[in-house]
Amino acid sequence: QGTTTRATSPGEILQPEEVRKAAPAVRPEGHEMKCNEEIPAYSSVTTNKIQIFAQAFYKGKMEDDDEHWWMYRIEFKNTGMQRVQLLTRHWLFVDATGKTTEVKGP
């Protein structure tokens, strides 16, 4: 089963889903798999009738500091009847090497 890649123009940034589709198949026991499922560029969970959706977008590599930059889209949907308010946030970002970055705040 081969993969196809699309031609990119200089400076064009592929999104995670495009990279994933162009990547070779992974072994089920490989580090790319979790619970025998691919780890997608998005996640969705519902807790206490609040639906939370998060999606990552790769923004490219910064020339000045050699770091990779990402943008995140976070959506909340109240599926219950009770009014709710977001009071604080706590995000954990884990990179491919296992390095964890924590963000907390209002």
Side-chain angles (χ1 to χ4, degrees):
Q1 176 178 347
T3 59
T4 59
T5 57
R6 69 177 182 84
T8 59
S9 59
E12 182 179 359
I13 298 171
L14 293 177
Q15 293 303 314
E17 191 62 28
E18 294 172 299
V19 173
R20 185 176 297 105
K21 286 179 180 177
V26 296
R27 299 179 331 273
E29 66 276 12
H31 75 278
E32 304 90 348
M33 304 299 273
K34 181 178 180 181
C35 300
N36 296 322
E37 294 180 17
E38 276 188 66
I39 301 172
Y42 63 90
S43 62
S44 180
V45 65
T46 301
T47 181
N48 298 322
K49 296 187 179 180
I50 305 296
Q51 208 173 38
I52 304 166
F53 175 82
Q55 185 174 18
F57 297 92
Y58 182 61
K59 300 304 285 181
K61 189 173 181 181
M62 296 306 199
E63 294 177 23
D64 296 343
D65 55 15
D66 203 36
E67 289 188 9
H68 297 271
W69 287 76
W70 293 82
M71 180 177 76
Y72 300 92
R73 179 177 129 208
I74 310 295
E75 293 180 8
F76 300 89
K77 182 179 180 182
N78 183 0
T79 61
M81 298 300 293
Q82 187 174 1
R83 185 182 296 207
V84 296
Q85 180 181 0
L86 179 66
L87 299 175
T88 188
R89 63 192 172 115
H90 183 186
W91 308 114
L92 294 175
F93 300 93
V94 182
D95 71 13
T97 67
K99 177 186 169 198
T100 301
T101 303
E102 187 174 25
V103 176
K104 289 184 176 182

